[in-house]
């Protein structure tokens, strides 16, 4: 069933408040004379892949392998749902443990690829592209970001689509 007007307005209000809160927190709370912009962890990779695949930087020649890698990254970026992945790995571990206790033959256990949880918020990376008012953001990047957000909101629960908690600010500060 379609959402009620109340549900729609509350979700729209929630998204608006998240965007507003994020705009206020991208400035670090340190020294006001030198604000430090926090960049979403996935944003550089996203912009690089879009630039490679859509030839946004006309001065560079891109190999077929680089285009393939960029395409693969963008596909995984759009379908990324780390919350579901974490739940799936935990459920698989519980099922395997239960099967071992029952003496049932256990299927292949989780691989390292299944367990790797990559930090970074798709939501924040796309919002940052849409809200950035500098001219260095290409319209193709904005279109991709808008389509990704729309796809996430249509196909996922709202709590899964807005994956802000996947952003690990500590990792970014360790890199700097």
């Amino acid at each position: 069933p379609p959402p009620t007007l109340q549900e729609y307005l509350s979700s729209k209000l929630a998204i608006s408040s998240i965007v507003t809160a994020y705009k206020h927190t991208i400035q670090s709370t340190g020294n006001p004379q030198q604000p430090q912009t926090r960049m979403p962890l996935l944003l550089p990779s996203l912009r690089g892949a879009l630039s490679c695949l859509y030839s946004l930087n006309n001065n560079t020649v891109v190999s077929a392998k680089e285009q393939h890698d960029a395409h693969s990254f963008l596909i995984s970026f759009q379908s990324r749902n780390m919350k579901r992945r974490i739940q799936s790995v935990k459920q698989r571990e519980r099922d395997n443990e239960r099967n071992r206790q029952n003496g049932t033959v256990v299927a292949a256990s989780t691989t390292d690829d299944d367990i790797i949880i990559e930090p970074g918020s798709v939501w924040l990376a796309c919002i940052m592209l849409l809200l950035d008012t500098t001219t260095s953001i290409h319209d193709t990047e904005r279109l991709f970001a808008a389509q990704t957000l729309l796809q996430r909101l249509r196909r996922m629960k709202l709590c899964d689509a807005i994956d802000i908690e996947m952003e690990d600010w500590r990792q970014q500060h360790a890199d700097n």
Side-chain angles (χ1 to χ4, degrees), residues 162-176:
I162 302 173
D163 61 348
I164 294 175
E165 69 279 356
M166 295 309 299
E167 195 72 18
D168 187 3
W169 298 113
R170 295 167 299 177
Q171 180 179 355
Q172 188 179 43
H173 290 297
D175 293 344
N176 291 340

Side-chain angles (χ1 to χ4, degrees), residues 52-123:
C52 175
L53 196 60
Y54 294 109
S55 302
L56 300 179
N57 186 357
N58 294 330
N59 300 334
T60 59
V61 177
V62 181
S63 71
K65 182 182 181 339
E66 290 172 324
Q67 286 183 341
H68 181 301
D69 292 345
H71 181 261
S72 297
F73 173 80
L74 294 175
I75 294 294
S76 68
F77 180 84
Q78 283 190 318
S79 62
R80 179 183 167 109
N81 189 346
M82 285 295 149
K83 290 180 191 176
R84 180 182 284 170
R85 190 177 204 180
I86 291 168
Q87 290 173 346
S88 175
V89 168
K90 286 180 180 178
Q91 182 63 45
R92 193 175 316 144
E93 289 172 352
R94 284 193 298 267
D95 291 346
N96 285 343
E97 183 60 33
R98 195 175 311 125
N99 287 339
R100 280 190 209 102
Q101 290 174 352
N102 294 338
T104 310
V105 175
V106 178
S109 75
T110 57
T111 64
D112 290 341
D113 290 340
D114 292 335
I115 298 174
I116 294 173
I117 305 301
E118 302 158 351
S121 170
V122 171
W123 184 264

Side-chain angles (χ1 to χ4, degrees), residues 23-64:
K23 284 169 102 175
H24 291 298
T25 58
I26 60 171
Q27 302 290 337
S28 88
T29 57
N31 185 352
Q33 282 77 21
Q34 287 195 339
Q36 179 183 9
T37 302
R38 295 179 178 175
M39 185 184 319
L41 296 173
L42 294 175
L43 187 58
S45 300
L46 173 60
R47 292 197 70 198
L50 287 169
S51 176
C52 175
L53 196 60
Y54 294 109
S55 302
L56 300 179
N57 186 357
N58 294 330
N59 300 334
T60 59
V61 177
V62 181
S63 71

